[in-house]
Amino acid sequence: MKETTLKRHPIRGFIWGLITGVGVGLLLMVFSIVPLSIPTLIIYTAVSAVLGALWGMFAPPKKPKGARPDTLPPPAAA
Amino acid sequence: MRRMRNLLFALAVVVLVAVPPAFAQEQEPVVDLMEFIPAQFRADFSDRNGDGIPDIGELPPEGVAGIWDDKIGEVTEDGFLAAVSGTFDPSDEGSSLTGPCKGVVISYDADGLSIDAMFDRGGAEPPYDVYGNQKMTRSNPLEVDTAGTLVYYGSSIPATFHNHRWFISAEGVFKDDGGDPNPRDKNRNAGSVDFGDLLPFQFTALIQAKGAWVDGWGAADLPEMEVYPEPNCTGAGWVKFVGPNPLLTPPGILATLLAAAGFTGVLFNARPALSWKEG
């Protein structure tokens, strides 16, 4: 019987990926590594958002917080 | 012993990276742009930073005729062509300027020191810099200071455009257009663009620009086309806006904050999580 449940966060990954894509795209443009171009920025943002969603779905999960419930000490007797 | 070895290795890397550029042979200019400044004003200009391009001091106050006004007529068409003569190799791609248009563009920083310059001799040849290299290519863009000034002199001699229409656009940044019936038969012009006044903040970016100027188009807007009716001047190339450290400009600060926030969110908030089952 499974002791843990897995929660995936594709929407959070999509949103954070969106923000990362805009930031990284703009950084590349202000350093003149890539030309300033709205279509290019949109592509970077879209790709990063998709990668973020995939990360939110399939990345190695974080370990559960706290101790396992069956290792907790029994409540004190009345 | 190991620390000393690592220190020597790091020092060698630094020397190999930093020293060669310091000893790199600087190009010598093959064109003297001072010839385009009327003789009575040349005493006010000098090459203060040693790049072969005349630098300016304070710009004249408004209302005073600038050095690029009609007095530039003292430099004739033949004189211009003679001053920019030479054989250059347009081996690089990415820039063009065709048609009868020709002229000079010089870019200055906020202190009047020259940053970059280019000229075009008209015809099918692309623009060149003063060192004989093709200009406005991706590897050799025209550098413009976002706090500085751009001065230009241009002509369409022997052609004179009437009822003309023009546009200039920069990818994702701006587009400007205009035209004129030109009843006075002007076929040359000079002026300046003060980016320090026009732009709300400084920034750095590499931008692709294009433009066209068509004779006899009339009052209607000029669209982007593959081929324009003759006579015309069309051009395209790369411009690099330069400024302070990119990370200190408003776009750079915004980009850094967004990238940092995004990475943090992806790593710590978007990752799947295991939780203990209840019961």
Side-chain angles (χ1 to χ4, degrees):
Chain A
M1 187 172 166
K2 283 187 182 175
E3 297 177 333
T4 57
T5 54
L6 178 63
K7 267 195 168 180
R8 303 181 193 272
H9 301 295
I11 296 180
R12 286 188 198 177
F14 182 88
I15 294 171
W16 287 118
L18 205 82
I19 295 172
T20 306
V22 173
V24 170
L26 280 177
L27 270 178
L28 292 175
M29 289 176 189
V30 297
F31 279 100
S32 301
I33 296 172
V34 298
L36 179 65
S37 166
I38 302 299
T40 303
L41 188 61
I42 291 172
I43 290 170
Y44 281 139
T45 304
V47 170
S48 182
V50 170
L51 290 176
L54 292 174
W55 170 266
M57 282 289 291
F58 303 114
K62 289 186 277 192
K63 291 180 181 176
K65 293 178 184 174
R68 282 167 52 181
D70 59 359
T71 63
L72 293 172
Chain B
M1 187 62 190
R2 188 178 174 189
R3 280 189 183 179
M4 181 59 66
R5 185 196 67 193
N6 290 342
L7 180 62
L8 284 172
F9 178 71
L11 193 61
V13 169
V14 169
V15 167
L16 281 172
V17 169
V19 170
F23 284 93
Q25 195 168 9
E26 290 189 4
Q27 297 183 82
E28 289 294 322
V30 296
V31 170
D32 183 8
L33 294 183
M34 190 69 83
E35 299 199 17
F36 302 99
I37 299 173
Q40 62 266 40
F41 297 113
R42 285 181 192 167
D44 296 331
F45 295 83
S46 61
D47 183 11
R48 289 184 277 148
N49 56 3
D51 63 354
I53 303 168
D55 305 310
I56 56 176
E58 286 186 23
L59 289 173
E62 288 186 25
V64 176
I67 59 125
W68 299 104
D69 283 347
D70 283 342
K71 285 187 170 62
I72 201 67
E74 295 175 9
V75 178
T76 64
E77 175 81 355
D78 291 338
F80 167 82
L81 292 174
V84 296
S85 62
T87 304
F88 305 130
D89 176 23
S91 57
D92 201 353
E93 293 181 356
S95 72
S96 66
L97 182 57
T98 60
C101 296
K102 59 186 73 72
V104 172
V105 174
I106 305 179
S107 167
Y108 294 97
D109 65 12
D111 297 322
L113 294 175
S114 57
I115 294 173
D116 208 352
M118 71 173 193
F119 66 89
D120 187 271
R121 303 186 286 190
E125 282 195 84
Y128 294 101
D129 62 21
V130 297
Y131 310 106
N133 306 310
Q134 186 172 346
K135 197 61 182 172
M136 289 192 77
T137 63
R138 184 159 175 174
S139 59
N140 189 20
L142 176 67
E143 295 192 1
V144 176
D145 190 338
T146 50
T149 307
L150 200 74
V151 295
Y152 62 89
Y153 160 71
S155 84
S156 61
I157 295 171
T160 300
F161 287 10
H162 299 92
N163 292 318
H164 58 76
R165 194 77 183 171
W166 58 268
F167 82 88
I168 183 167
S169 68
E171 176 82 45
V173 177
F174 73 84
K175 182 170 182 178
D176 196 8
D177 63 272
D180 197 88
N182 192 20
R184 295 172 61 189
D185 298 329
K186 279 184 67 176
N187 56 13
R188 57 186 177 226
N189 197 10
S192 65
V193 180
D194 191 340
F195 287 102
D197 284 345
L198 287 175
L199 298 174
F201 51 78
Q202 293 182 263
F203 62 91
T204 58
L206 178 65
I207 294 169
Q208 197 165 20
K210 64 175 84 169
W213 184 29
V214 181
D215 181 31
W217 187 263
D221 286 346
L222 183 66
E224 291 190 29
M225 302 163 63
E226 289 292 323
V227 179
Y228 292 94
E230 296 288 341
N232 68 69
C233 293
T234 58
W238 295 88
V239 176
K240 185 175 180 181
F241 286 98
V242 297
N245 184 332
L247 292 177
L248 300 179
T249 60
I253 293 171
L254 176 65
T256 305
L257 290 175
L258 287 174
F263 272 126
T264 305
V266 165
L267 288 176
F268 297 108
N269 188 247
R271 194 174 156 192
L274 290 167
S275 58
W276 298 115
K277 264 190 182 175
E278 296 287 333

